[in-house]
Amino acid sequence: ANTPLLLDVYATWCGPCKLMAPQLDEAAAFLGDKVRVAKLDSDQHPDWAGKLRVQGLPTVIVFDGQSGKELERVEGALMKDQLIQLAEKHS
């Protein structure tokens, strides 16, 4: 199945990340199995944050479900509707 992956790169000390966390949970619940949602703590996994060239937090990256290629990224906190729109654009 070609289910896109929506990755939230965050940090526990990041205010906008904390603001976005419940929004992401709601968006994930709404989207169901149309998209996979994952979170990456940039402090616990700095190597991955570096490989993904993350500069600002939070950063949401959408990856193609088959190729794993990055399709789109957005820096800054997104609200539920924006997250749903972003995911549906690629699903």
Side-chain angles (χ1 to χ4, degrees):
N2 187 15
T3 309
L5 172 69
L6 190 117
L7 178 66
D8 169 28
V9 184
Y10 73 100
T12 55
W13 48 262
C14 160
C17 301
K18 291 179 188 173
L19 175 76
M20 191 175 90
Q23 300 290 318
L24 182 66
D25 291 342
E26 288 180 30
F30 176 86
L31 290 161
D33 59 5
K34 280 196 273 188
V35 66
R36 291 174 293 155
V37 176
K39 293 173 70 82
L40 177 75
D41 184 330
S42 62
D43 288 337
Q44 289 186 4
H45 303 282
D47 51 336
W48 275 104
K51 283 178 190 169
L52 294 169
R53 301 177 323 280
V54 172
Q55 294 171 339
L57 295 173
T59 294
V60 176
I61 308 173
V62 182
F63 294 96
D64 182 83
Q66 283 186 308
S67 70
K69 287 191 174 127
E70 181 178 321
L71 300 173
E72 188 170 354
R73 78 168 51 203
V74 180
E75 283 187 19
L78 299 174
M79 297 297 101
K80 174 188 170 187
D81 291 345
Q82 294 170 298
L83 289 160
I84 290 168
Q85 192 175 18
L86 179 65
E88 286 184 336
K89 192 193 316 186
H90 299 290
S91 61

